[in-house]
Amino acid sequence: QVQLVESGGGSVQAGGSLRLSCAASGYTYSSYCMGWFRQAPGKEREGVAAIDSDGNTSYADSVKGRFTISQDNAKNTLYLQMNSLKPEDTAMYYCVADCIFALWTRIGLTVYWGQGTQVTVSS
């Protein structure tokens, strides 16, 4: 059974940083597409970033240059380093696994989801 457990969310002022972590278990980490989605109140869920087993990464335009996705294969952990946070980054952030990297923003093509971790950025 695949489990994705996010941590690292919290409240921060605009311009601050947070690092989200996603501990994955029961998933074949050596061949994968994993990523992060977010959903703000009243808005649709959207893709934030993704990474594949070759280390290729992709980002939403809104976070390029501010967020970095990375992985630690030995720890089966996915990370999202978020810098220069803005109030519009406020959302519930979800770790996902078993996506299709070329189509990673397609919610319907992503198999596994974590429960989410809340990020709140105040101005």
Side-chain angles (χ1 to χ4, degrees):
Q1 182 178 358
V2 175
Q3 282 194 319
L4 304 173
V5 180
E6 303 98 334
S7 61
S11 297
V12 64
Q13 289 191 327
S17 298
L18 285 173
R19 188 176 80 156
L20 305 184
S21 300
C22 173
S25 61
Y27 183 62
T28 305
Y29 205 70
S30 61
S31 177
Y32 61 84
C33 164
M34 296 187 72
W36 295 92
F37 278 71
R38 68 185 180 185
Q39 187 167 21
K43 294 189 176 181
E44 293 186 352
R45 197 168 292 192
E46 63 176 359
V48 176
I51 188 167
D52 71 6
S53 54
D54 293 324
N56 298 305
T57 59
S58 184
Y59 297 91
D61 288 343
S62 59
V63 306
K64 281 180 182 176
R66 300 188 298 121
F67 290 11
T68 302
I69 189 170
S70 63
Q71 72 234 8
D72 184 332
N73 289 344
K75 296 182 179 179
N76 278 4
T77 302
L78 183 72
Y79 302 100
L80 184 68
Q81 178 66 44
M82 306 185 294
N83 299 327
S84 302
L85 283 161
K86 305 175 180 180
E88 50 264 43
D89 294 318
T90 295
M92 184 70 78
Y93 283 72
Y94 299 90
C95 174
V96 302
D98 204 1
C99 44
I100 299 173
F101 186 72
L103 300 171
W104 70 272
T105 60
R106 300 279 188 91
I107 293 174
L109 298 180
T110 299
V111 179
Y112 300 108
W113 293 76
Q115 292 300 306
T117 185
Q118 178 68 38
V119 171
T120 302
V121 185
S122 58
S123 58

